[in-house]
Amino acid sequence: MSATKRLTYGQRAAKYTNPAAKALLETMERKKSNLCVSVDVVKSADLLAVVDAVGPHICLIKTHVDIIEDFGHELVAQLQALAQKHDFLIFEDRKFADIGNTVALQYSSGVHKIASWSHITNAHPVAGPSIITGLASVGQPLGRGLLLLAEMSSKGSLATGAYTEAAVQMARENRDFVVGFIAQRRMDGIGAPAGVSLKDEDFLILTPGVGLDVKGDGMGQQYRTPKQVVLEDGCDVIIVGRGIYGKDPTKVAEIGKQAVRYQAAGWAAYVERVNALV
Amino acid sequence: MSATKRLTYGQRAAKYTNPAAKALLETMERKKSNLCVSVDVVKSADLLAVVDAVGPHICLIKTHVDIIEDFGHELVAQLQALAQKHDFLIFEDRKFADIGNTVALQYSSGVHKIASWSHITNAHPVAGPSIITGLASVGQPLGRGLLLLAEMSSKGSLATGAYTEAAVQMARENRDFVVGFIAQRRMDGIGAPAGVSLKDEDFLILTPGVGLDVKGDGMGQQYRTPKQVVLEDGCDVIIVGRGIYGKDPTKVAEIGKQAVRYQAAGWAAYVERVNALV
């Protein structure tokens, strides 16, 4: 049993030196929210409408800016203004997956200039450690944080077993920049050298595939509840997408209501976890 | 020994039904080129200058449009005009790596609209089979082809062993859309069920990390020669980047000269391979 899952987000914030991770944990504690909303819409106006509706209830917004048809600098400015207004951080779910030289360019350059506005981003460890070196060369001077994809919530994922262990080992060697994982359970101590106990290390665990009402999407995505994810498996942040914004991103009243519901479910699971006697 | 590596590109083109794979093999045969040039520059003008210089000598151009600062519809139109002028195909090296629902949006939408202009793209199998379903829903009606990343050329890559086998199995179940692999050796028959021989199946193998003059880039990339890649390991297309355009994308005369050199080396290795007696 990891001791980390008994600590409060605030206690853990104090131990982090990475600015993005520290800010995220502090925001979670302050807002009583471990909810990250994932918004996969293709128009800027829809993205901003959903973000403004869920903003008061989240610690983090997860974007895929490469699906936005009318992406531009103006969208980034408006997203940053909403992040200020509602007090949350931004996580571009880019899933970098190339060699070091290429990801450094993809992170810093192009139309999207992700490093300039996204507090947190993520990468697949499949390319090997050079992907961390490449991204760190751009993001670390800006105070950014990186998550590695140690596991995936989709059916038939190959991120299991030795792959997951290798991801954790790569993270462990880059603690200043790699702040945690996209995973389905705690990773503290996973893949530790024989005879070494690392159960008290602290990685942030952000978990997609969370839903209160459905089991799957017909395209391989599988869902679990906030209680399973946070209380039983010790994850830190629940990532909820279509469960909150449904099929119509303009129904902001309903979207806000769903965000409240998921915030409450995620926080209740966390409170029960830190207060558990065993 | 795979029988496929003894066949000519033209013989193999006749067996493919996927339009992109067939067109690529026919182009290779017609132009006597198995050279793909990878261009990682951040300005449209530099990209177009390099592509125009290498165009006569290549079968395929590999792009990372997400690093282009001034990307726009005009660039796509100019790239397509050069592909017509010089007779080559376009491969956006996107390395999709998300769940089916998300990659379908990333492939079709956003600023880049990759599916509308890129004949071939690629994906990591790590998310499981839904990534193929998602991409195929967009690309197959357009006659596009997909490569899976079965191996990577960077140091410490996790795409090895059972991971590579699973990639080939996923491809085998989606032969209409998955036309081959990014890999370092032939994949025909890899991961076949016990007792089943699939050595005569035909997957295109495109191989990055090819260089005539250097061993590595200091960021984890490792290089092998065209002879090692095509003759010894049976790969089909050599992908060459910095070995051709060096550090200055404006030196087009020198870039053209290097493309001729790599075209000759790649083709000589192929001729030696198909003419080998054993």
Side-chain angles (χ1 to χ4, degrees), chain A residues 50 245-252 255:
Chain A
V50 172
Y245 68 84
K247 286 178 179 170
D248 187 348
T250 64
K251 293 193 169 156
V252 292
I255 291 168

Side-chain angles (χ1 to χ4, degrees), chain A residues 8 16 33 79 90 121 136 173 182 206 214 237 247 251 253:
Chain A
T8 66
Y16 270 85
S33 174
L79 204 53
I90 306 173
T121 190
E173 285 165 21
I182 300 296
L206 282 72
V214 288
V237 175
K247 286 178 179 170
K251 293 193 169 156

Side-chain angles (χ1 to χ4, degrees), chain A residues 94-107 121-139 146-149 163 166-167 170-171 174 177-178, chain B residues 95 97 124 152 154-158 217-221:
Chain A
R94 174 57 178 77
K95 294 186 172 67
F96 289 103
D98 213 313
I99 61 173
N101 186 66
T102 302
V103 294
L105 289 167
Q106 291 172 321
Y107 191 26
T121 190
N122 58 358
H124 284 287
V126 62
S130 79
I131 196 166
I132 300 176
T133 318
L135 292 170
S137 72
V138 173
L146 182 70
L147 304 167
L148 291 183
L149 286 119
Y163 182 103
M170 280 169 57
N174 296 275
F177 186 55
V178 182
Chain B
K95 294 187 172 67
H124 284 287
M152 291 187 79
S154 46
K155 199 173 172 183
S157 163
L158 307 183
D217 75 347
M219 263 207 179
Q221 177 66 302

Side-chain angles (χ1 to χ4, degrees), chain B residues 195-264:
Chain B
V196 178
S197 173
L198 293 170
K199 286 196 172 179
D200 291 339
E201 68 185 347
D202 186 339
F203 288 113
L204 290 173
I205 306 295
L206 283 73
T207 308
V210 176
L212 284 165
D213 309 308
V214 288
K215 299 261 182 223
D217 75 347
M219 263 207 179
Q221 177 66 302
Q222 305 168 117
Y223 293 100
R224 294 189 302 152
T225 65
K227 190 167 181 170
Q228 289 174 304
V229 164
V230 176
L231 174 62
E232 295 172 19
D233 293 331
C235 305
D236 297 314
V237 175
I238 55 171
I239 303 175
V240 184
R242 286 166 277 177
I244 283 180
Y245 68 84
K247 286 179 181 170
D248 186 348
T250 64
K251 292 193 169 157
V252 291
E254 177 59 24
I255 290 167
K257 216 184 287 181
Q258 288 299 325
V260 170
R261 185 174 165 234
Y262 275 93
Q263 178 188 6

Side-chain angles (χ1 to χ4, degrees), chain B residues 37-77:
Chain B
V37 172
S38 161
V39 197
D40 297 348
V41 295
V42 300
K43 290 182 193 159
S44 289
D46 288 341
L47 174 63
L48 294 168
V50 172
V51 172
D52 200 26
V54 302
H57 315 295
I58 63 174
C59 58
L60 190 67
I61 197 86
K62 182 170 90 60
T63 55
H64 281 298
V65 289
D66 54 356
I67 70 173
I68 307 278
E69 307 272 359
D70 55 347
F71 177 88
H73 178 72
E74 186 58 23
L75 173 62
V76 170

Side-chain angles (χ1 to χ4, degrees), chain A residues 64 66-69 94-95 97-98 100-102 106 110 113 124 126-128 130 154 156-158 219 221 242, chain B residues 64 66-69 94-95 97-102 106 110-111 113 124 126-128 130 154 156-158 219 242:
Chain A
H64 282 298
D66 53 356
I67 70 173
I68 306 278
E69 308 271 0
R94 174 57 178 77
K95 294 186 172 67
D98 213 313
N101 186 66
T102 302
Q106 291 172 321
K113 293 185 178 42
H124 284 287
V126 62
S130 79
S154 46
S157 164
L158 307 183
M219 263 208 180
Q221 177 66 302
R242 286 166 277 176
Chain B
H64 281 298
D66 54 356
I67 70 173
I68 307 278
E69 307 272 359
R94 175 57 178 77
K95 294 187 172 67
D98 213 310
I99 62 174
N101 187 65
T102 302
Q106 291 173 321
V111 171
K113 295 183 175 42
H124 284 287
V126 63
S130 80
S154 46
S157 163
L158 307 183
M219 263 207 179
R242 286 166 277 177

Side-chain angles (χ1 to χ4, degrees), chain B residues 174-209:
Chain B
N174 295 275
R175 285 310 312 253
D176 292 345
F177 186 55
V178 182
V179 299
F181 300 98
I182 300 296
Q184 300 290 318
R185 58 193 165 105
R186 292 217 65 76
M187 291 286 132
D188 317 321
I190 298 280
V196 178
S197 173
L198 293 170
K199 286 196 172 179
D200 291 339
E201 68 185 347
D202 186 339
F203 288 113
L204 290 173
I205 306 295
L206 283 73
T207 308

